[in-house]
Each structure stands twice: as structure tokens, then as C-alpha cells.
Amino acid sequence: MTDERIKGAAEQIAGKARNGFGRLTGDRRLQLDGRMEEYRGRARDAYGRVIDGLDGLVAKAPGRYQDTARKGLDFARRKPLLTTGIVAGLAVVPGGLGRRR
């Protein structure tokens, strides 16, 4: 389990607690903050699961590709937001190419 998954689980728990406390006191701002923190935790946990899965794939890759794959994975660990943006952009490009006017 990566640090991202642990941090994500902790954020989810803290967000649920904050949301519940906000509901208990009637503070809508606290509820919103709690929900946002919970969603951030879910996103971080999902990112951690993806990194864990990719780690397993790198281990199964042929030897000549493992070094390059590990470099890419290290980049993804160091720059999670940039990596997410790159992946999202790559997902949008084929969708845009498939549409014709």
C-alpha cells in the first residue's frame, strides 16, 4: 500500500467526521468542507490504487523495458497532478478525433 492510499484513507475519515460534525451543529460551511475533504481523499486513494497496479505491471514487463517503465512511474509519483492532466488530455484527444463535423 502506497503512502497516497494511506493519506487518502485518512482524508476520507477526517472529511466524514467534519461533515458529520457540521451536520450536527447545522454549519453548512463545515459540511461542505468535510465533503470536499472526503472527495479529495477518495481521489488520492484512487491515484494510489493506480500507482500500485502500475507497480505490478512494471514488475511483469520484459527486462529491457523495466528501467524505462520505472522512470515513468517515479515521475508519476513525484508529479501526481501533472500526470493526471496528461492522462486526461490523452483521453480527450481520441474522443475529439472520432467526431466529425
Side-chain angles (χ1 to χ4, degrees):
M1 181 181 258
T2 62
D3 291 342
E4 296 300 322
R5 292 193 64 194
I6 294 168
K7 289 176 187 175
E11 274 184 322
Q12 283 182 39
I13 292 168
K16 285 180 183 181
R18 184 177 288 178
N19 184 16
F21 188 71
R23 240 185 288 132
L24 184 67
T25 60
D27 186 351
R28 289 194 180 270
R29 178 70 179 169
L30 194 57
Q31 287 178 343
L32 179 64
D33 289 345
R35 279 192 221 123
M36 292 302 293
E37 188 172 5
E38 184 180 346
Y39 292 136
R40 265 194 317 269
R42 285 183 186 177
R44 185 173 288 205
D45 180 49
Y47 172 76
R49 277 186 272 129
V50 168
I51 292 295
D52 285 347
L54 289 174
D55 226 0
L57 287 176
V58 168
K60 294 177 185 176
R64 61 182 175 198
Y65 300 120
Q66 283 186 356
D67 188 42
T68 305
R70 286 193 200 288
K71 286 179 186 176
L73 196 55
D74 288 340
F75 174 82
R77 283 190 177 118
R78 284 191 321 271
K79 310 242 183 219
L81 290 177
L82 181 60
T83 302
T84 304
I86 291 169
V87 170
L90 290 174
V92 169
V93 169
L97 293 176
R99 294 184 182 169
R100 292 189 178 184
R101 292 183 180 225

